[in-house]
């Protein structure tokens, strides 16, 4: 029954097609690997955070 309602209204068909295309593109994007440059930046941030965590607060002025 739902398919009949969608098929009878051009706006509903258009919305359904847009929804399907967005889901497809989003799904493809999720399966893409993270770029090397971004991974390098994340690694730098992790190292800086680890170095900051390693500082003993009693050593600070």
């Amino acid at each position: 029954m739902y398919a009949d309602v969608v098929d009878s209204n051009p706006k509903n068909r258009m919305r359904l097609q847009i929804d399907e295309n967005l889901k497809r593109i989003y799904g493809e994007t999720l399966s893409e690997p993270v770029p090397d440059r971004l991974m390098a930046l994340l690694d730098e941030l992790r190292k800086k955070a680890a170095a900051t965590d390693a500082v003993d607060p009693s050593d600070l002025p």
Side-chain angles (χ1 to χ4, degrees):
M1 179 174 162
Y2 177 73
D4 294 337
V5 173
V6 171
D7 289 341
S8 66
N9 186 334
K11 286 185 181 182
N12 286 340
R13 282 196 313 259
M14 188 184 321
R15 287 184 186 129
L16 181 61
Q17 187 176 11
I18 290 170
D19 288 349
E20 290 172 353
N21 287 334
L22 287 172
K23 288 176 187 177
R24 180 180 48 81
I25 291 170
Y26 183 72
E28 290 172 3
T29 302
L30 286 177
S31 65
E32 291 179 4
V34 176
D36 292 338
R37 178 67 181 137
L38 181 56
M39 291 303 294
L41 289 171
L42 290 171
D43 190 44
E44 287 180 39
L45 288 172
R46 287 185 190 108
K47 287 177 183 175
K48 286 181 182 180
T52 302
D53 292 342
V55 173
D56 185 355
S58 64
D59 292 341
L60 298 175

